[in-house]
Amino acid sequence: MKERGLLIVISGPSGAGKGTICSELRKEMPNLVYSVSMTTRDPRVGEKEGINYFFRTKEQFEELLAQGDFLEYAKVYDNYYGTPKAHVMDLLDEGKHVILEIDIQGAMQVKDAFSDGVFIYIVPPSLSVLSNRLNGRGTDAQDVINKRLSLASSELALAHRYDYIVVNDILDEAVEKVASILRAEACKISRNKEKIQDIYKQYMTKE
Ligand code: 5GP
């Protein structure tokens, strides 16, 4: 039987650079896969169905929610976001490491259900850097940006509930830090029981 993959939860304010960090990580670590969330928000320019999100109506989302199809969900900025459960479970069973890029409300639900998940909080170096990034992105209206900035400040107070915090000042360094965290987590004794038994058997059968 394969060891289960890591369930990796990455949170942080919009504009912290989570998406960029995750796509860089996947270039370095081919065993990483990305869980595609479902949302009721409108697609941004360039976003694609099934790649960035599964875009659904509020009614469709609520129906799936009632069926218990989500691993976690949250209402963020007046829209629903959720992680479809079945696909994530299958990937973990196949030994893949699965990244969930989700908000703090969802992360805490996952933490209750999966205490052995790896919880990483990505933070921009300052609120002014975050504000510049959100304005520079040019994808959101000013009132949306303002909401995101005030939510960022209040969420930061909960960052201590994660296992790791990574400041995304210089992208390459932030990616390396997250990669190091994942490599170390994958080597934990508690995650390698089968491997230890195999190694033990090899040592015992050697003359
Ligand atoms: P955005 O609208 O910028 O794509 O995402 C807004 C926020 O929703 C981000 O903080 C993002 O991490 C979070 N988010 C995206 N997908 C999910 C999800 O499946 N569950 C939860 N709880 N949050 C999500």
Side-chain angles (χ1 to χ4, degrees):
M1 218 185 78
K2 267 197 164 157
E3 296 286 350
R4 264 190 130 210
L6 297 173
L7 181 62
I8 303 146
V9 175
I10 297 203
S11 305
S14 292
K18 291 165 294 185
T20 319
I21 291 177
C22 290
S23 52
E24 289 301 309
L25 268 181
R26 284 175 65 196
K27 291 184 198 157
E28 276 192 41
M29 307 177 94
N31 198 28
L32 279 183
V33 290
Y34 200 74
S35 156
V36 180
S37 294
M38 197 171 281
T39 184
T40 58
R41 84 150 161 73
D42 293 332
R44 294 195 186 113
V45 177
E47 284 186 333
K48 292 202 170 67
E49 167 72 13
I51 300 210
N52 304 92
Y53 283 104
F54 295 106
F55 296 98
R56 294 291 180 273
T57 63
K58 189 166 169 273
E59 290 70 29
Q60 288 168 331
F61 194 102
E62 285 174 345
E63 201 179 316
L64 294 171
L65 191 57
Q67 291 170 17
D69 284 358
F70 290 103
L71 181 62
E72 61 72 36
Y73 81 101
K75 216 167 185 183
V76 191
Y77 323 118
D78 309 325
N79 281 303
Y80 283 121
Y81 293 80
T83 305
K85 182 158 57 184
H87 188 49
V88 172
M89 294 301 136
D90 290 346
L91 291 168
L92 290 173
D93 288 342
E94 285 167 26
K96 300 246 165 49
H97 302 322
V98 183
I99 302 183
L100 309 185
E101 190 201 310
I102 61 177
D103 89 313
I104 202 158
Q105 306 168 60
M108 293 307 118
Q109 293 168 41
V110 178
K111 198 165 189 189
D112 289 341
F114 291 85
S115 52
D116 64 344
V118 183
F119 295 83
I120 305 174
Y121 198 80
I122 310 282
V123 71
S126 68
L127 200 59
S128 64
V129 169
L130 180 61
S131 169
N132 290 341
R133 284 185 193 165
L134 288 178
N135 282 300
R137 198 153 81 169
T139 51
D140 294 305
Q142 193 56 49
D143 63 323
V144 174
I145 293 179
N146 290 343
K147 263 192 198 174
R148 289 179 184 224
L149 288 172
S150 74
L151 190 68
S153 313
S154 58
E155 275 192 1
L156 197 56
L158 295 172
H160 66 273
R161 300 191 60 191
Y162 287 71
D163 300 319
Y164 301 95
I165 186 156
V166 173
V167 178
N168 182 16
D169 191 357
I170 297 164
L171 178 67
D172 289 352
E173 287 181 13
V175 172
E176 259 330 291
K177 281 181 188 162
V178 178
S180 307
I181 292 166
L182 299 184
R183 289 193 191 106
E185 285 283 343
C187 290
K188 273 192 168 166
I189 294 282
S190 57
R191 299 189 196 279
N192 288 280
K193 298 209 170 105
E194 311 259 334
K195 198 181 279 170
I196 290 167
Q197 274 184 359
D198 282 352
I199 296 171
Y200 182 74
K201 274 187 213 147
Q202 286 172 28
Y203 275 67
M204 288 299 114
T205 53
K206 262 217 160 107
E207 287 294 295

